[in-house]
Amino acid sequence: MTTTVTAHMRTCGKTNRVTAELQDDGSLKISIVSDCPNVRIYAEKLQTVSAEDVCDFRNSKVVDPDVRASLSVPCLTPIAVFNAAWIELGMLSKSLAKDAGENSVSFDLE
């Protein structure tokens, strides 16, 4: 099985599709397709994560400063990685995610 989550970065006009695929050894293969060169650099560095990487934010490879160095701070791609991995691992219900459709950040500016 694979799980794909899309991060729509409207502030920079980029779209990033993250796919997580559970491997036989329990690791997750992460594939990211993006029209952003900075996200493609991130994707090259990430490629595989462990269940611990998506459960322990503080020590996670997903947000490791050396891995995500090419990304801007507000980039939602790492969050998309967490979501795809959680669904793939069964830690977030696929039906709940499907019913929700999306999570979002809104700018409440005056």
Side-chain angles (χ1 to χ4, degrees):
M1 181 174 98
T2 63
T3 302
T4 301
V5 172
T6 302
H8 301 280
M9 290 298 303
R10 291 182 175 92
T11 53
C12 63
K14 304 297 184 192
T15 300
N16 311 308
R17 290 180 53 85
V18 175
T19 301
E21 181 178 8
L22 186 59
Q23 304 297 291
D24 291 337
D25 66 358
S27 67
L28 294 148
K29 178 181 175 189
I30 304 296
S31 303
I32 303 173
V33 177
S34 178
D35 55 351
C36 175
N38 295 324
V39 171
R40 289 195 298 266
I41 292 168
Y42 173 69
E44 288 175 23
K45 292 179 180 179
L46 196 60
Q47 295 188 17
T48 305
V49 298
S50 67
E52 187 174 325
D53 285 321
V54 297
C55 293
D56 181 4
F57 190 86
R58 184 181 191 134
N59 297 304
S60 175
K61 179 179 177 182
V62 178
V63 292
D64 181 289
D66 292 331
V67 175
R68 66 160 291 144
S70 63
L71 301 180
S72 65
V73 171
C75 182
L76 295 176
T77 304
I79 300 304
V81 171
F82 283 115
N83 280 279
W86 273 48
I87 294 169
E88 186 68 6
L89 290 168
M91 296 168 52
L92 176 60
S93 163
K94 196 168 200 164
S95 61
L96 174 62
K98 187 175 182 179
D99 288 346
E102 69 177 30
N103 281 332
S104 64
V105 174
S106 62
F107 298 103
D108 302 323
L109 308 174
E110 295 185 29

